[in-house]
Amino acid sequence: AAGVGRGVRGLGLARGAEVVPRATSRRALVTSIAVGEAALDLLLACGCELAGRPNYEHLQGEPFSVIARSFLPEPVAETAGVAKAALDRGDAALDRGEYDGAVKEFTFVLEVAPTEYKLCQRALLKRTEAYRAVGDREGAGRDFRKQWLWGRGLRWPGHYILSYVFLRPAFLPLDPEVEENEEQKRRGGGVLPLEWILVLGLAGLYNYVLYQSLH
């Protein structure tokens, strides 16, 4: 009986020793997936920012350095007042039906103050309307895509919500007695995570409503 007892205790210790490395590996897997998803979303945000915004020609240096610095907050441009006046003139021209003049004013805004996000977003949106009014579908589509992409850049609040959703599993406690919990099976089995399905569905609905409101 004593031998059996020692055997049972030994088996229990062996199983306990197996649980610790298994839990550690699960934690590493969950954390690496969470960080990878958050990093992927950050890269997506940077890509949208670069694809949508005007050129930052005022920055000088190596290409990588210029791109990296362009993501940092910028002080209010000295030309912001000039850009605001041009935007107002463009709005007035658009109201009068002077579409060519409106396009020139909105283009000037993008050139003179490319780092002023709100002014440039409004200029792109208004120039889209002007292009559409004169039947320039290509120009309207180009400006709409730029405005849409820049709007999904680093300033889009959705990215911060996504970062929370993606990183949250890395901080949730794992049950060391469970070999594979439902979350880990779902992530490791090639099944699209539920949060991704939810996010993609909401993003699709949001952008469909936005597209319909602008067309």
Side-chain angles (χ1 to χ4, degrees), residues 4 7 14 47 53 56 77 87 89 91 94 119 155 157 187 206:
V4 173
R53 73 187 184 192
Y56 286 6
L87 187 62
R89 292 194 301 270
D91 282 336
L94 189 62
L119 291 177
R155 295 172 180 82
R187 287 176 174 268
Y206 171 81

Side-chain angles (χ1 to χ4, degrees), residues 52-204:
R53 73 187 184 192
N55 293 326
Y56 286 6
E57 297 179 351
H58 66 288
L59 294 177
Q60 303 295 326
E62 296 295 326
F64 179 80
S65 174
V66 169
I67 292 175
R69 284 187 290 126
S70 71
F71 292 134
L72 300 177
E74 290 271 351
V76 176
E78 296 179 357
T79 54
V82 176
K84 179 63 170 60
L87 187 62
D88 292 339
R89 292 194 301 270
D91 282 336
L94 189 62
D95 292 338
R96 293 193 301 267
E98 300 172 0
Y99 301 119
D100 290 340
V103 168
K104 290 180 181 179
E105 295 292 353
F106 297 140
T107 301
F108 179 74
V109 173
L110 299 171
E111 292 173 348
V112 75
T115 60
E116 291 300 310
Y117 176 77
K118 291 183 178 180
L119 291 177
C120 289
Q121 280 286 75
R122 187 176 169 192
L124 283 170
L125 184 61
K126 292 292 185 176
R127 195 169 70 173
T128 300
E129 296 180 16
Y131 279 142
R132 189 178 295 116
V134 298
D136 187 351
R137 296 177 60 86
E138 181 179 352
R142 181 177 59 249
D143 275 2
F144 173 78
R145 287 189 295 272
K146 282 185 169 294
Q147 190 264 347
W148 187 93
L149 287 169
W150 199 12
R152 304 307 172 280
L154 295 172
R155 295 172 180 82
W156 188 47
H159 289 300
Y160 303 98
I161 298 174
L162 289 175
S163 295
Y164 168 77
V165 171
F166 295 145
L167 291 174
R168 184 171 175 269
F171 300 95
L172 292 177
L174 296 176
D175 185 352
E177 300 297 329
V178 178
E179 182 175 357
E180 286 292 339
N181 63 28
E182 184 177 347
E183 173 71 13
Q184 292 155 354
K185 286 182 179 179
R186 179 170 54 80
R187 287 176 174 268
V191 180
L192 191 65
L194 179 60
E195 59 265 26
W196 274 102
I197 297 175
L198 182 61
V199 165
L200 290 174
L202 291 175

Side-chain angles (χ1 to χ4, degrees), residues 132 144 210-215:
R132 189 178 295 116
F144 173 78
L210 176 66
Y211 179 85
Q212 293 298 322
S213 67
L214 294 177
H215 288 76

